[in-house]
């Protein structure tokens, strides 16, 4: 249901839906994989604010589960050019810095 909310037109509503997906992944370990897959699907939509919010959330998931989902970093790096919000850029810098040896 949150995935559907994340495709709405109201930017604030979409951001909250994406953040909720991230919170579920962080609090419920058994659902983290599903949440990562949903976030990757949202990133593939290439909607700028969805991509940026997803990257911010994924950074938090990486911090909670280190060395677990680094296989998705290449997909995140494909979206570097679309990042224009400071928080999204900072999240991507953290991810690249933390996993530089694996990229």
């Amino acid at each position: 249901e949150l995935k559907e909310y994340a495709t709405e037109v109201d930017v604030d509503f979409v951001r909250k839906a994406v953040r909720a997906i991230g919170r579920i992944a962080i609090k419920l370990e058994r659902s983290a994989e599903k949440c990562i897959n949903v976030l990757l699907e949202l990133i593939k939509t290439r909607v700028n604010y969805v991509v940026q919010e997803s990257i911010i959330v994924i950074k938090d998931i990486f911090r909670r589960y280190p060395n677990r989902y680094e296989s998705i970093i290449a997909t995140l790096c494909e979206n570097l050019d679309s990042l224009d919000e400071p928080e999204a850029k900072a999240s991507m810098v953290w991810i690249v810095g933390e996993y530089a040896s694996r990229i």
Side-chain angles (χ1 to χ4, degrees):
E1 192 168 336
L2 289 171
K3 181 181 170 186
E4 293 300 316
Y5 291 159
T7 59
E8 294 288 326
V9 291
D10 181 3
V11 177
D12 287 335
F13 187 66
V14 169
R15 288 181 188 276
K16 288 177 183 174
V18 172
R19 282 189 207 127
I21 293 169
R23 280 195 304 273
I24 290 169
I26 289 167
K27 292 185 185 210
L28 301 173
E29 187 173 349
R30 67 182 184 276
S31 66
E33 180 102 24
K34 174 75 173 152
C35 291
I36 286 282
N37 291 333
V38 168
L39 290 167
L40 286 174
E41 287 177 41
L42 292 173
I43 287 172
K44 288 177 185 166
T45 65
R46 301 258 186 226
V47 177
N48 194 318
Y49 54 89
V50 174
V51 170
Q52 296 192 95
E53 199 64 42
S54 296
I55 287 174
I56 293 166
V57 164
I58 287 172
K59 183 235 348 162
D60 294 335
I61 294 170
F62 279 170
R63 290 178 70 196
R64 176 70 169 90
Y65 307 110
N67 305 316
R68 194 125 147 228
Y69 300 108
E70 66 257 346
S71 61
I72 69 168
I73 293 173
T75 305
L76 302 180
C77 289
E78 291 171 9
N79 295 284
L80 279 172
D81 294 337
S82 67
L83 302 181
D84 56 15
E85 293 178 14
E87 192 177 0
K89 286 181 181 180
S91 294
M92 201 61 212
V93 166
W94 183 89
I95 291 168
V96 170
E98 194 70 22
Y99 295 95
S101 62
R102 295 175 191 94
I103 297 175

